[in-house]
Amino acid sequence: MFLVDKRKVKREVEQLGNSKKIIKGLKVSPVADSYKKTIWNLMDKLQEADAYSMAQWLVHVERWIDDHGKDQKAKYERGEIVFIELGAMNFGYEASYEHPAIVIANSYNTVLVAPCSSKTYGKGRRDVIDIPKSDATGLTSDTGIGVGGIRWISKNRIMNRLGKVTNPIILDKIDEHLLKQLFFYNVISAHHHNEIMDLERKQDMLKAELDEMKSVLRSVEELLLTQSPELVESFKAIAVSERVIEFII
């Protein structure tokens, strides 16, 4: 495997300024050199892949090439089941490759979807909602809806429409999951907001107490100045040695 200095590549590209999205990458030496190393690294890695993973990667790359420059704006309804391409080079346990998915919300050129997989059906996972194939059209088997992986995707990732969820209870369960997630977020946010407010109130109280102490000390000083100025000088000398003079001057 060749070592690619990713920070150096990014730094060199940033130095191109406004031309970084115009000039061809192969004309920039650090980018071209790293490109060659990365291609070799990718070839070495793919040679170790099984037939299924390699095929998925090839199909994904070909789709990405074919899709370049296209802009999909078709409208999708809540509850529609679509077949989507989630990518072949995802990280960790992210959903990858081709999956059916349920549309939750439609935007201009993106949709909010919940990826589905028959492999997660009936496993009792908290982040999966089971949907029997009888509760939808377009599903060939009982399926698990991965509500834990709900995400916005480009409409360009949608390959075709499969059907729709026919049981409204399933959609209600998805909405309930989203509301719970939103509620949890709001609870945590409100908790921290209340903590900040409490600290601000304590700060205001301490500032008021400090101002009151300064006022009292000034009153005492004024009284002493009129009655016994020599005592004030002695008091200031002591205060300086104790580092409290800022409270009385």
Side-chain angles (χ1 to χ4, degrees):
M1 298 288 284
F2 294 100
L3 181 63
V4 175
D5 190 338
K6 294 180 283 294
R7 290 185 178 179
K8 180 181 178 181
V9 173
K10 293 179 68 175
R11 185 168 59 249
E12 292 290 337
V13 170
E14 287 302 317
Q15 291 177 356
L16 296 174
N18 294 333
S19 64
K20 63 185 178 183
K21 292 187 177 181
I22 301 174
I23 188 173
K24 298 297 182 182
L26 290 179
K27 292 185 177 180
V28 181
S29 296
V31 177
D33 293 342
S34 297
Y35 162 76
K36 295 173 185 177
K37 292 178 182 179
T38 301
I39 292 299
W40 277 109
N41 290 342
L42 182 59
M43 290 173 62
D44 289 343
K45 186 67 177 177
L46 283 175
Q47 287 178 11
E48 302 172 1
D50 56 76
Y52 174 77
S53 299
M54 182 178 288
Q56 291 289 349
W57 183 86
L58 293 171
V59 170
H60 164 72
V61 171
E62 284 300 312
R63 285 200 182 112
W64 180 80
I65 292 173
D66 293 340
D67 181 74
H68 191 70
K70 296 181 181 178
D71 195 7
Q72 175 62 262
K73 301 184 181 67
K75 185 176 181 181
Y76 296 89
E77 301 293 335
R78 175 177 177 267
E80 267 197 83
I81 301 175
V82 293
F83 201 50
I84 61 176
E85 159 72 76
L86 288 175
M89 293 184 286
N90 295 359
F91 287 79
Y93 294 96
E94 295 174 343
S96 304
Y97 307 147
E98 301 167 348
H99 282 277
I102 295 176
V103 174
I104 300 169
N106 178 82
S107 187
Y108 179 65
N109 51 15
T110 59
V111 285
L112 182 66
V113 298
C116 301
S117 174
S118 58
K119 294 180 180 179
T120 59
Y121 181 85
K123 303 295 184 181
R125 289 172 46 176
R126 293 182 180 180
D127 60 345
V128 174
I129 295 173
D130 290 337
I131 175 172
K133 63 180 180 179
S134 58
D135 284 346
T137 60
L139 293 178
T140 57
S141 59
D142 297 337
T143 298
I145 305 171
V147 290
I150 289 175
R151 54 182 281 196
W152 287 97
I153 65 168
S154 167
K155 290 180 178 178
N156 293 38
R157 288 188 179 272
I158 299 176
M159 291 181 283
N160 59 289
R161 304 174 193 253
L162 298 178
K164 65 178 180 179
V165 177
T166 55
N167 185 350
I169 294 177
I170 298 297
L171 296 178
D172 290 341
K173 287 182 178 180
I174 296 175
D175 291 343
E176 183 179 354
H177 174 82
L178 288 171
L179 287 171
K180 283 182 179 179
Q181 297 301 310
L182 180 63
F183 176 75
F184 178 76
Y185 170 81
N186 286 339
V187 168
I188 297 298
S189 178
H191 173 72
H192 290 310
H193 182 67
N194 288 336
E195 284 187 327
I196 292 172
M197 291 182 63
D198 288 340
L199 290 173
E200 288 176 344
R201 281 195 293 267
K202 288 180 181 179
Q203 184 182 40
D204 291 340
M205 290 174 60
L206 290 172
K207 185 176 182 302
E209 290 179 4
L210 181 60
D211 290 340
E212 185 177 355
M213 290 175 61
K214 287 181 178 181
S215 178
V216 170
L217 287 173
R218 288 193 184 94
S219 298
V220 171
E221 183 183 19
E222 290 174 359
L223 179 63
L224 288 174
L225 282 172
T226 57
Q227 301 296 325
S228 182
E230 66 281 359
L231 187 59
V232 173
E233 295 302 321
S234 300
F235 179 71
K236 284 186 177 181
I238 296 173
V240 169
S241 65
E242 297 295 330
R243 297 182 179 179
V244 297
I245 187 64
E246 63 269 18
F247 292 110
I248 61 172
I249 60 174

